[in-house]
Structure formats: structure tokens, C-alpha cells
Amino acid sequence: MKKFIPFIVAFILICLVMGVAGIFAFSGLAAAEKFGGKTAWSQPYDTAESMKVIDLNGDGQDELFIQNANNVTVYDGGGNILNQFSFNALKTTLGDVNGDGVEDIIAYSLDAGGSVNTIVNGKQSALAEGLNANQPARIALIRFASGPQIILGDATGGLLSLKLDGSPLWSVSSGSEEVRGLDDAKIGGQAYLAAASHSGTVSVIDSNGKNIWQTTQEQLRRMRAFDLNADGDSEVLTGGEYGAFFIYGAKDGSVLFNKSLGQPVSEIREVELNGDPSSREIIVGGKNGGVWAFSFDGKTATQMWTGSLADKVTEIAGIDINGDGKEEAVLGDDSGNVAVFTADGARNNLPTHGSGITRIDVGKLGGERYVVIADYHQVEADKIEFSSIPGFQYTPLLVGVIVSIVILIIAAILASIPAKPEMKVSFQDKSKQSLEAERRMLKESIADVERLRKSGEVTGDAYLARLKRLRGDLAANEAAYKTAGFSIRVETIQCPNCGGTLELGMDKCEYCGQALLS
């Protein structure tokens, strides 16, 4: 039985080793996939607030639009400046204002007492001035069924609508604090305005400035509107100052999903993580670096995975880097870290920037597909590369098999080691006195065994085995006597009952049957 013990222990260890190997192999933890970034060009630019890779002049080639609080700049595909404009307290949006099918820049600033300017194919013109506007917060071009309108949102929650010729249409209040989101929300396939302010007010508004619905929640940091299940009705997503994440139905304001994320929500974006167009995925970033991925099936959202960055998540963009039909999420944080998260949540770090990331976008510049990253001091176009070693995923299983074989070999060696021989008394090279003392000890031990047998404490095979060993030791003792040339003197005792002479070690008188206690 002892020979099987090493194999039993080996079997348990092999099960543990192969279990761990299986987890690493099939969970993707050991996949040899790597994402790396190589900078094609960079230009100095301070604290970008908005950025987009887009065709702004109709030549079929995308340019890079970028904007901060006081500047609009357009770069060509190689990073050369095409246009540059200065403003005061600027907010921008993109949209076709002249109907030529090319996106234009619309700028909302405090210049000229509050103004809206358009930049069409590199030429700036004033659309409206003297608006008596408060600090600009957001601007959007919404293409209502009745016609497009430019919506201005300010730092007090005020909303002002303008026609494309600059004439005002209506104004309403959307909460009492800074407007944090303006987006178009589809209802029945038609565009409406989704608006949210920092005070927690969320509204969907029609082309006349009337609320389709309005609700309030905790103070808001982000609001986005997406048609997540392509049914013609958008969903309005909000992120709160204290971690509340809501998904509302744009049609009636019903709450489709809500969850507390435990930290302020700093960004929300849609990223096609699983490549299945029947469900849409959402990436949410937190102020403390938390990252959550949700899948939305049209009724509710299911959390897919969570991750983290070192600091506040400032930007999220989606790009299919490895061409598998699934987008990877590229995230930046306020410490300058940039990371790629795959569909299963695995994180791959890209080169770190020297300052916080402000904007990330994806597109073709000069015929090459880039991830464009802006931080507090510069903007750069990075070529993101993907590399993979086929089959490396199963290396943990191979390692597990090798370790298991080693364990079996060790178990076989341990099982083949002969049992330690039973220790026996050696009578070689002993003095006469020592041999006599051992002889007396053995005889007393034999007598003890006999008493134990009679009392029932030792029976059967155990009794015979012990007696056989002791008799063998006694024979060896006598042989040692003879080898040493000593004469054996039989030690005797007297029977206390009949006086007969008995050999020491006997427990019963041979003459009268008296039990002896010697």
C-alpha cells in the first residue's frame, strides 16, 4: 500500500497543475497578442476639447479637426496646418450648414457679445452676433423633421435655438447649471434634441422647444444618445457625479437600466466589442480610473467585464485593430496612460504620454489609418500595430503536461525506493556482560509477550510475529556467545510454589503449573 501513496499524491498534484494550465489557456490570459503604437507625426497643441478625423473640404481625403477653448486648427493627413482660427471661450460642433454634403465647423464663442461663426472650406463667416450669451457650454446641429437647427447651451442651463441663417427660434431652460450634453435622439426615426445639465435635468425636446419628457437625477457629468438596438428609437445614457449610470428610452423617458458604479462617471462611448450588430456595447469610464463594458440587447444592459486605468478616464474610442470584425476600445486617462482593451477585457498598454490625455479619435489620414491622440501639450497620429503568435495560447497546456510527467517520474522514483529494513539488535563485537544483559532483556520480553497474549492484549498474527522476532534475537545472542568463546550459563529461578528450578523468562512452572510474575 505504501508504494501507491506517491502515485496518489502525484495524481492530486497533476489535477491541480492541469486545472491551472486550462484556466490560463482557455481564458485568454496567456494569448500571445500584443498591441503597439508607432508615432507617424506629432504637433504641439494645448488642451484639446474636441477633435475629429473628417473630410472638411470635399476632396475625399480626411483632415484632422481639433479645438480648444481659444483655437480651431485643421491639419492635413501629414500633420501640416491647413487652417487656424482664434476665438474667445469657444465651443464647436460639426455639421453641413450649406447643403453641399460636406461637414462644416460651427463655432460658438463670447466674441462680439456672443456669436456663432461658420468655417466652410477654410473660410470663416459670422452667422449670428450680439446674442447676449452666457459662458458657452455646448453646441449641436440637430436635423429636426421640420429642418435643421443650431442649439446653443450655456453655463446656466439655458438653451437657444437658431436657424441656419442665424435667426433665433426659441429658448428654454434645461436645469439650473451648466449644460453637460446636447445630442440628437431618434424617436420613430426622426431627430429630437436630447439635453442634460449638471444639475441633473435630462430632457428630450422637439423642434419647437417643447419637452417630450423631462426627468431629474443626481448631478450629471456625461450624457450621450445612441440607437443601441437600431429600432428607430434612441437610448439616452447618463453618467452621474456620484456614479449613477442610467439608460433611458428616448421615446418616453422610461428607465431601461440603471446601476451605481461607485465613482463619478467621466465618459461614455459606444464600441462594437463583439462584432454582433444585433447588440451594441457601451464602455463607461470613471473619475477614479474604473472601466466597465456593457452589452445592450434592446431591453436591458448586461455587464461584460470591468477594468481600470491609473487615473480619471478622459476619452474612449473604438477601432478594429486586428481585423477580426470586433472593435477594440482605446482609452486614455488623466495621467497620460493609453491602453487597448479587447473584447474580453484584456488590457494592452500603449506608450505613455507626458501629460493627461484629452481626446482620442480614429480615422484615415494621408491614406493610413491612425489613432490620433491629443494630450495637454500635443497631438500625434499613431499607427497601432497588432501581433500574435498562433497556437501560443495553448502553451500553458504543454507546460502542464511536462510538469505532470516530471511529477510522475518523481512518484515512480519514490515508490521504487526499498522499505527501510527493520532494525535488529546486533550482537557482534559485544562484551560478555553486554551479551548477558541482552539475553536477560530478551527473555523478559518473551515473558511479557506471553502475558499479553494470555490477557488478550496481543493475539493471532501479531503475537506470533513478535514472538518469532524475539526468539530469533535470542538465538542470535546465543550464537554471539559461542562466537566470542563464552560459555552460556543458563539463569534460573525457583518456583515459589513447588521449589522447582526454572529457566529465567518462563512465566509458568513446568512442574506445578504455578503462574510466575518474574
Side-chain angles (χ1 to χ4, degrees):
M1 178 61 186
K2 292 183 179 179
K3 290 189 175 182
F4 291 104
I5 292 176
F7 290 103
I8 294 173
V9 175
F11 176 75
I12 294 172
L13 291 176
I14 289 171
C15 289
L16 291 174
V17 168
M18 294 307 298
V20 172
I23 291 172
F24 274 86
F26 296 110
S27 66
L29 294 175
E33 296 182 344
K34 183 178 180 182
F35 296 89
K38 183 178 180 181
T39 301
W41 56 262
S42 66
Q43 291 286 0
Y45 197 85
D46 290 332
T47 318
E49 294 183 0
S50 182
M51 186 173 72
K52 184 70 175 176
V53 177
I54 192 169
D55 183 4
L56 291 172
N57 56 22
D59 64 353
Q61 298 291 319
D62 286 344
E63 290 77 44
L64 176 66
F65 156 80
I66 190 167
Q67 167 254 315
N68 62 21
N70 301 294
N71 172 272
V72 169
T73 300
V74 178
Y75 296 94
D76 67 12
N80 304 301
I81 295 176
L82 293 177
N83 309 115
Q84 199 166 45
F85 305 91
S86 296
F87 296 91
N88 178 29
L90 175 66
K91 299 296 177 183
T92 62
T93 191
L94 299 173
D96 182 8
V97 295
N98 60 5
D100 63 355
V102 178
E103 297 290 285
D104 306 307
I105 302 169
I106 308 171
Y108 171 32
S109 70
L110 288 180
D111 294 297
S115 65
V116 175
N117 284 259
T118 60
I119 302 172
V120 178
N121 199 13
K123 295 181 180 180
Q124 177 185 347
S125 60
L127 190 68
E129 294 180 335
L131 296 174
N132 295 319
N134 292 304
Q135 182 79 15
R138 291 287 190 280
I139 178 173
L141 175 63
I142 307 297
R143 296 192 176 280
F144 293 102
S146 58
Q149 299 178 24
I150 298 171
I151 310 298
L152 311 178
D154 65 29
T156 67
L159 300 178
L160 174 63
S161 170
L162 304 177
K163 293 181 180 180
L164 292 188
D165 62 6
S167 59
L169 282 172
W170 51 262
S171 64
V172 297
S173 177
S174 176
S176 58
E177 299 178 22
E178 177 187 8
V179 174
R180 284 297 181 95
L182 293 177
D183 211 341
D184 68 338
K186 298 292 194 301
I187 300 177
Q190 299 296 322
Y192 290 77
L193 171 67
S197 74
H198 184 258
S199 63
T201 301
V202 184
S203 310
V204 170
I205 301 171
D206 68 13
S207 60
N208 297 313
K210 304 297 183 183
N211 288 331
I212 301 299
W213 57 267
Q214 186 176 84
T215 188
T216 57
Q217 58 171 88
E218 71 180 37
Q219 289 180 315
L220 288 174
R221 297 177 64 88
R222 283 291 179 271
M223 187 278 294
R224 306 286 184 196
F226 307 110
D227 186 359
L228 294 174
N229 57 340
D231 63 351
D233 292 331
S234 293
E235 285 71 41
V236 178
L237 293 75
T238 64
E241 194 72 62
Y242 305 102
F245 173 53
F246 276 83
I247 300 179
Y248 298 96
K251 185 176 181 179
D252 55 11
S254 58
V255 177
L256 303 178
F257 178 78
N258 73 290
K259 181 181 177 65
S260 176
L261 300 181
Q263 58 184 268
V265 174
S266 57
E267 189 55 279
I268 303 171
R269 293 290 186 185
E270 181 187 32
V271 179
E272 185 52 69
L273 290 173
N274 64 8
D276 181 2
S278 64
S279 65
R280 307 301 282 273
E281 290 73 59
I282 308 142
I283 304 291
V284 182
K287 186 177 180 181
N288 299 333
V291 180
W292 296 264
F294 297 93
S295 177
F296 186 80
D297 62 3
K299 297 180 180 179
T300 188
T302 302
Q303 184 169 300
M304 300 172 63
W305 48 261
T306 63
S308 64
L309 293 177
D311 208 336
K312 180 177 77 172
V313 177
T314 53
E315 184 63 295
I316 304 168
I319 175 175
D320 182 3
I321 298 174
N322 54 12
D324 63 354
K326 303 175 184 178
E327 287 187 337
E328 284 71 42
V330 184
L331 284 78
D333 72 12
D334 207 29
S335 293
N337 298 296
V338 183
V340 177
F341 286 84
T342 59
D344 58 4
R347 173 178 166 173
N348 297 262
N349 294 326
L350 297 181
T352 301
H353 287 235
S355 61
I357 306 303
T358 59
R359 286 293 176 264
I360 299 175
D361 196 31
V362 178
K364 281 190 174 182
L365 292 171
E368 290 286 342
R369 196 161 182 242
Y370 294 114
V371 173
V372 185
I373 304 172
D375 58 32
Y376 286 119
H377 302 304
Q378 67 176 9
V379 56
E380 66 180 39
D382 291 345
K383 182 71 173 177
I384 305 300
E385 298 172 341
F386 169 77
S387 60
S388 176
I389 303 176
F392 187 82
Q393 173 185 353
Y394 302 105
T395 299
L397 293 178
L398 178 60
V399 173
V401 170
I402 293 172
V403 173
S404 299
I405 292 172
V406 172
I407 292 173
L408 283 174
I409 292 172
I410 294 173
I413 293 173
L414 292 175
S416 66
I417 295 175
K420 184 178 180 181
E422 184 179 10
M423 186 178 68
K424 293 189 178 234
V425 180
S426 174
F427 299 105
Q428 296 180 1
D429 301 325
K430 296 287 186 74
S431 66
K432 183 176 182 181
Q433 291 80 5
S434 176
L435 290 171
E436 289 175 349
E438 289 167 346
R439 181 180 178 82
R440 180 183 293 272
M441 179 190 69
L442 290 170
K443 285 179 174 274
E444 289 176 351
S445 296
I446 291 171
D448 288 339
V449 171
E450 291 291 346
R451 282 194 295 271
L452 291 172
R453 180 183 64 81
K454 289 180 178 181
S455 65
E457 296 182 46
V458 178
T459 60
D461 294 339
Y463 160 72
L464 293 174
R466 292 182 65 179
L467 190 61
K468 181 179 179 181
R469 182 173 62 81
L470 290 170
R471 292 293 188 190
D473 291 342
L474 185 60
N477 177 268
E478 292 178 354
Y481 259 98
K482 294 176 182 180
T483 301
F486 304 132
S487 60
I488 299 176
R489 181 175 62 85
V490 178
E491 299 182 52
T492 61
I493 59 173
Q494 298 294 319
C495 175
N497 183 45
C498 67
T501 300
L502 302 172
E503 188 175 351
L504 179 64
M506 298 185 66
D507 60 351
K508 185 177 181 180
C509 180
E510 296 176 340
Y511 307 105
C512 67
Q514 174 69 36
L516 304 177
L517 300 177
S518 60

